[in-house]
């Protein structure tokens, strides 16, 4: 491992030494502030160099979003055949040049630097020179403490080793536990923010399942392996998690995925600012739908007795209601009878007129007899 990553050890140690030389002008060269800020600056420098990979990650996410309708069609078509569904998904990724694992690229690209920093700090804990860190710098780094915990100390270190670094077991374990909790929490929040705000949840894809899995796997990994990380590595990883969280918040707010919750919020902000002008007909239709939804009232549930009596109360009022309904029914019956009689009379007139006209026509036909043929006279 040292042979393969030897050049990276030199690069990482050189960057840390350069930042340490700068911060030594402000702080004590043996202080935790000078060495801690050097590690933080290393993270910032690496993340700035990884911005092109981050842009590629955003483009891959957009491509995945554009493929959502096709993915949904594949899911519906091969609903009962999961193997065939996976094969068709992989075929679609290959045809469109989309890689669902692109979201892991920034993490994979950081891994060599992370391992190199771990080994550099491990060499410091073992009092071994590494890269460009010579013996004077090695002694200075061993004296550096962050909130009472040495940069090279670990949660699982023995009391003798921690005391040799000039610290107490309680200070080291309290600081490491707090940093591990913050590191896991920031990682979980970053993934959860991506799942709840920047993903179209109307279509379920393997990409979403992958993100959901990472949301729980990464925090657990950090909590488990964090107890074996030196304090300097915890500083590195906590810093990169905070950077990732802030960078993602900025992207989600300014350039969210279409169809996501963040996209709808951004559209509302643009409408409020007057930067998006909608069609008046569409606005009127939305208002009509909203008014209809607000004015719609659900019927109240009634008991059986109320349904039989039309919702009237018991007692005298109920009897009066029944009497009124009976008289009303009688009045309606009389009115219906009169209307039927009128209708029958009108029908009779029409029938009489029609029969009279038929009689007249028949009489006319009888009066106008054709002359007989001469041979029949």
């Amino acid at each position: 491992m040292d042979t393969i990553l030897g050049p990276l050890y030199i690069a990482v140690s050189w960057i840390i030494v350069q930042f340490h030389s700068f911060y030594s002008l402000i702080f004590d060269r043996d202080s935790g502030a000078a060495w801690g800020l050097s590690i933080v600056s290393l993270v910032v420098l690496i993340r700035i160099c990884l911005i092109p990979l981050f842009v590629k990650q955003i483009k891959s996410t957009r491509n995945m979003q554009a493929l959502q309708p096709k993915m949904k069609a594949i899911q519906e078509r091969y609903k009962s055949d999961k193997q065939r569904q996976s094969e068709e998904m992989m075929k679609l990724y290959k045809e469109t040049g989309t890689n669902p694992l692109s979201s892991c690229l920034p993490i994979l690209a950081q891994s060599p630097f992370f391992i190199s920093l771990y080994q550099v700090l491990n060499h410091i804990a073992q009092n071994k020179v590494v890269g460009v860190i010579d013996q004077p710098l090695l002694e200075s780094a061993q004296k550096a403490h962050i909130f009472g915990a040495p940069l090279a100390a670990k949660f699982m270190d023995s009391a003798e080793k921690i005391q040799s670094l000039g610290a107490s077991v309680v200070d080291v374990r309290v600081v490491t536990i707090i940093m591990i909790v913050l590191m896991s929490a920031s990682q979980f929040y970053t993934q959860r923010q991506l799942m709840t705000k920047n993903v179209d949840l109307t279509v379920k894809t393997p990409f979403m399942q992958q993100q959901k899995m990472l949301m729980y796997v990464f925090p657990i990994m950090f909590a488990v392996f964090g107890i074996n990380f030196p304090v300097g590595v915890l500083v590195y990883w906590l810093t990169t998690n905070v950077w990732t969280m802030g960078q993602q918040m900025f992207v989600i707010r300014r350039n969210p995925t279409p169809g996501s919750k963040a996209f709808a919020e951004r559209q509302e902000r643009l409408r409020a600012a007057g930067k998006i002008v909608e069609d008046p007909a569409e606005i009127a239709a939305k208002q009509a739908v909203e008014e209809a939804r607000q004015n719609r009232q659900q019927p109240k549930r009634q008991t059986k007795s109320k349904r039989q009596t039309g919702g009237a109360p018991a007692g005298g009022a109920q009897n009066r209601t029944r009497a009124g309904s009976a008289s009303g029914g009688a009045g309606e019956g009389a009115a219906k009878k009169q209307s039927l009689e009128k209708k029958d009379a009108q029908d009779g007139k029409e029938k009489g007129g029609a029969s009279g006209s038929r009689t007249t026509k028949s009489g006319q036909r009888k009066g106008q007899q054709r002359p007989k043929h001469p041979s029949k006279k």
Side-chain angles (χ1 to χ4, degrees):
M1 181 67 71
D2 292 344
T3 304
I4 298 174
L5 297 178
L8 276 179
Y9 293 173
I10 297 174
V12 169
S13 61
W14 184 83
I15 294 172
I16 292 177
V17 168
Q18 298 306 312
F19 281 119
H20 177 261
S21 300
F22 172 75
Y23 290 116
S24 296
L25 301 175
I26 305 172
F27 307 99
D28 183 12
R29 67 186 303 270
D30 298 335
S31 65
W35 285 99
L37 289 175
S38 300
I39 297 174
V40 172
S41 301
L42 172 67
V43 174
V44 174
L45 179 62
I46 292 174
R47 294 309 302 265
I48 291 175
C49 295
L50 292 178
I51 286 178
L53 285 180
F54 182 72
V55 173
K56 187 175 181 180
Q57 177 188 1
I58 294 175
K59 291 182 179 179
S60 178
T61 304
R62 295 292 182 270
N63 293 336
M64 291 291 296
Q65 187 65 32
L67 293 178
Q68 296 297 323
K70 294 182 180 180
M71 292 179 180
K72 188 174 182 180
I74 291 174
Q75 289 177 347
E76 294 294 332
R77 185 175 181 181
Y78 303 105
K79 187 183 299 183
S80 58
D81 191 350
K82 297 297 182 182
Q83 182 178 358
R84 182 64 184 278
Q85 184 182 121
S86 300
E87 292 175 356
E88 292 296 326
M89 287 288 187
M90 293 298 106
K91 184 179 178 181
L92 180 63
Y93 295 152
K94 187 176 181 180
E95 291 176 351
T96 56
T98 304
N99 185 7
L101 299 177
S102 295
S103 59
C104 301
L105 285 177
I107 296 176
L108 295 176
Q110 286 185 85
S111 298
F113 297 94
F114 172 78
I115 296 172
S116 300
L117 178 63
Y118 177 85
Q119 291 297 329
V120 168
L121 294 174
N122 195 35
H123 280 70
I124 293 174
Q126 296 175 2
N127 198 19
K128 295 180 181 179
V129 295
V130 56
V132 299
I133 297 179
D134 53 11
Q135 191 64 35
L137 288 172
L138 182 63
E139 294 175 357
S140 176
Q142 286 182 336
K143 295 177 183 178
H145 291 66
I146 296 179
F147 301 108
L151 288 176
K154 306 176 187 176
F155 179 87
M156 299 300 293
D157 284 345
S158 62
E160 293 79 7
K161 186 174 182 179
I162 293 175
Q163 288 176 0
S164 66
L165 294 173
S168 65
V169 176
V170 176
D171 291 340
V172 170
R173 294 188 175 175
V174 169
V175 170
T176 52
I177 287 175
I178 293 174
M179 295 184 73
I180 289 171
V181 170
L182 292 175
M183 186 173 60
S184 301
S186 59
Q187 181 66 37
F188 178 80
Y189 180 80
T190 301
Q191 290 297 128
R192 188 177 182 275
Q193 181 181 233
L194 180 65
M195 288 295 300
T196 56
K197 285 192 172 184
N198 205 36
V199 174
D200 187 0
L201 299 177
T202 59
V203 181
K204 297 187 179 297
T205 64
F207 173 74
M208 292 178 56
Q209 298 298 325
Q210 170 203 350
Q211 293 295 327
K212 188 175 181 180
M213 180 182 66
L214 294 177
M215 182 173 67
Y216 295 101
V217 170
F218 277 149
I220 295 174
M221 287 176 58
F222 287 135
V224 171
F225 296 111
I227 58 177
N228 293 315
F229 291 163
V231 173
V233 174
L234 294 178
V235 172
Y236 173 91
W237 209 248
L238 177 60
T239 305
T240 193
N241 282 356
V242 173
W243 176 284
T244 302
M245 183 172 61
Q247 184 175 253
Q248 183 173 276
M249 290 176 65
F250 176 80
V251 172
I252 288 177
R253 181 175 177 84
R254 300 294 297 271
N255 191 19
T257 301
S260 63
K261 181 180 178 181
F263 184 81
E265 293 175 353
R266 180 176 179 272
Q267 295 298 101
E268 290 297 328
R269 291 196 301 269
L270 293 177
R271 290 190 191 96
K275 296 181 179 180
I276 295 181
V277 180
E278 294 182 343
D279 187 6
E282 184 177 353
I283 296 176
K286 288 182 180 179
Q287 291 178 353
V289 171
E290 185 65 22
E291 291 177 359
R293 187 184 65 80
Q294 293 178 356
N295 295 331
R296 184 176 59 192
Q297 295 180 356
Q298 296 293 337
K300 295 182 179 180
R301 188 173 182 180
Q302 297 180 348
T303 61
K304 185 176 180 180
S305 60
K306 287 184 178 181
R307 288 197 300 270
Q308 290 177 350
T309 58
Q318 183 176 359
N319 295 333
R320 287 194 298 271
T321 304
R322 288 180 177 177
S325 62
S327 61
E332 290 178 358
K336 289 182 179 179
K337 187 174 180 181
Q338 291 179 0
S339 62
L340 290 174
E341 289 178 355
K342 290 181 180 180
K343 185 176 182 181
D344 292 336
Q346 291 177 358
D347 291 343
K349 288 180 181 180
E350 291 177 358
K351 290 180 180 179
S355 59
S357 62
R358 285 196 298 270
T359 305
T360 305
K361 290 180 180 179
S362 62
Q364 290 177 355
R365 286 198 299 270
K366 287 181 180 179
Q368 296 177 357
Q369 297 180 356
R370 290 183 296 179
K372 296 181 178 181
H373 197 271
S375 60
K376 293 182 179 182
K377 288 183 181 181

